[in-house]
């Protein structure tokens, strides 16, 4: 059976279909032409995901020293697969001109290289697969999330918990976060907006940047921890069974 047949069977047989948020349905509409026909509004429930908060294992200065990054450099980070769906090629195309224009700007990337090739630039650092991406992210000043299509990317929640500002593509589950104000999450539609958002964060004073870092941590603590997820899940199940 094809994957579409399997999904159709699952959607039709299920009593309830749970998504993290309405925006997470976007890639289904984009990649499955019959999704609107299979989808049943009456079955749908929305339950935002939660995770255990993340912590850096290695100090920010140690990470920078290891990779030859100056302590005063402005560092962008990315962690994930190097493919088109994750937007690695758009990340590469957007960031390389930024590096060429600013000698104190760096890019650090975690994740197994390929299938898309990595650029050759002295300030673009490919760490490869790592068991500790959180230390790399925490050592950066902004995390870039460039997905072309996305459901509800857990890395968004991981970065929030680390208190790092996020510049994310305006697509799928990323859109859900536009509802939160006064936090360090900026959505972009094209490479120009990506660069502008990074520049906006970079030009903030130290206190302004610290404020949005604290806001990201606070948002995670109030909305996306395991306890909050468990309470929402219990309420959902209780409502269905009651």
């Amino acid at each position: 059976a094809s994957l579409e047949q399997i999904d159709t069977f699952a959607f039709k047989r299920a009593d309830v279909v749970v998504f993290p948020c309405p925006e997470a349905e976007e890639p289904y509409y984009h990649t499955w032409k019959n999704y609107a026909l299979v989808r049943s509004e009456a079955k749908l429930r929305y339950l935002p995901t939660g995770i255990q908060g993340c912590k850096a294992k290695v100090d920010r200065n140690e990470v920078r020293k290891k990779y030859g990054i100056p302590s005063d450099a402005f560092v962008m980070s990315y962690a994930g697969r190097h493919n088109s769906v994750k937007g690695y090629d758009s990340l590469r195309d957007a960031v390389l001109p930024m590096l060429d224009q600013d000698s104190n700007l760096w890019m650090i990337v975690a994740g197994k290289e390929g299938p898309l090739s990595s650029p050759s630039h002295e300030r673009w650092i490919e760490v490869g697969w790592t068991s500790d991406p959180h230390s790399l992210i925490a050592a950066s000043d902004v995390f870039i999330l460039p997905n072309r299509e996305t459901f509800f990317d857990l890395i968004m929640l991981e970065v929030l918990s680390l208190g790092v500002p996020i510049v994310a593509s305006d697509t799928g589950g990323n859109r859900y976060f536009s509802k939160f104000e006064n936090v360090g999450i900026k959505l972009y539609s094209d490479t120009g907006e990506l660069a502008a958002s990074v520049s906006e964060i970079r030009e903030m004073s130290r206190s302004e940047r610290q404020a949005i870092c604290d806001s990201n941590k606070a948002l995670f603590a109030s909305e996306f921890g395991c306890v909050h997820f468990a309470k929402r899940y219990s309420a959902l199940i209780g409502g269905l069974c009651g």
Side-chain angles (χ1 to χ4, degrees), residues 11-12 14-17 19 25 29 35-46:
F11 272 80
K12 288 187 176 298
D15 296 307
V16 175
V17 177
F19 278 89
E25 292 185 77
Y29 283 110
Y35 176 63
L37 301 175
V38 173
R39 177 185 187 273
S40 169
E41 187 75 35
K43 292 183 178 183
L44 288 175
R45 302 291 187 277
Y46 299 107

Side-chain angles (χ1 to χ4, degrees), residues 83-153:
N83 62 31
S84 181
V85 172
K86 287 294 186 182
Y88 181 81
D89 49 344
S90 65
L91 174 75
R92 186 180 56 195
D93 295 343
V95 169
L96 282 175
M98 296 164 64
L99 296 180
D100 288 338
Q101 293 166 13
D102 189 335
S103 62
N104 207 30
L105 197 62
W106 291 66
M107 183 77 210
I108 189 164
V109 175
K112 182 181 177 182
E113 295 187 54
L116 296 180
S117 61
S118 305
S120 177
H121 193 287
E122 62 182 359
R123 283 177 279 110
W124 181 295
I125 300 170
E126 288 281 347
V127 176
W129 186 90
T130 174
S131 60
D132 184 22
H134 301 135
S135 292
L136 301 176
I137 296 167
S140 72
D141 299 291
V142 62
F143 182 87
I144 302 176
L145 185 58
N147 332 58
R148 280 196 171 83
E149 297 283 356
T150 190
F151 183 69
F152 196 84
D153 205 329

Side-chain angles (χ1 to χ4, degrees), residues 157-210:
L157 304 187
E158 293 177 43
V159 179
L160 276 179
S161 74
L162 291 167
V164 174
I166 301 166
V167 174
S169 55
D170 188 14
T171 187
N174 290 355
R175 296 184 195 273
Y176 176 80
F177 294 88
S178 63
K179 64 191 279 186
F180 300 108
E181 299 179 355
N182 303 318
V183 295
I185 303 173
K186 298 183 180 298
L187 301 183
Y188 69 88
S189 298
D190 54 43
T191 55
E193 287 185 5
L194 188 162
S197 293
V198 170
S199 295
E200 183 180 343
I201 293 170
R202 182 169 189 191
E203 290 166 8
M204 289 180 176
S205 66
R206 181 173 295 182
S207 61
E208 288 174 324
R209 204 183 297 172
Q210 186 60 53

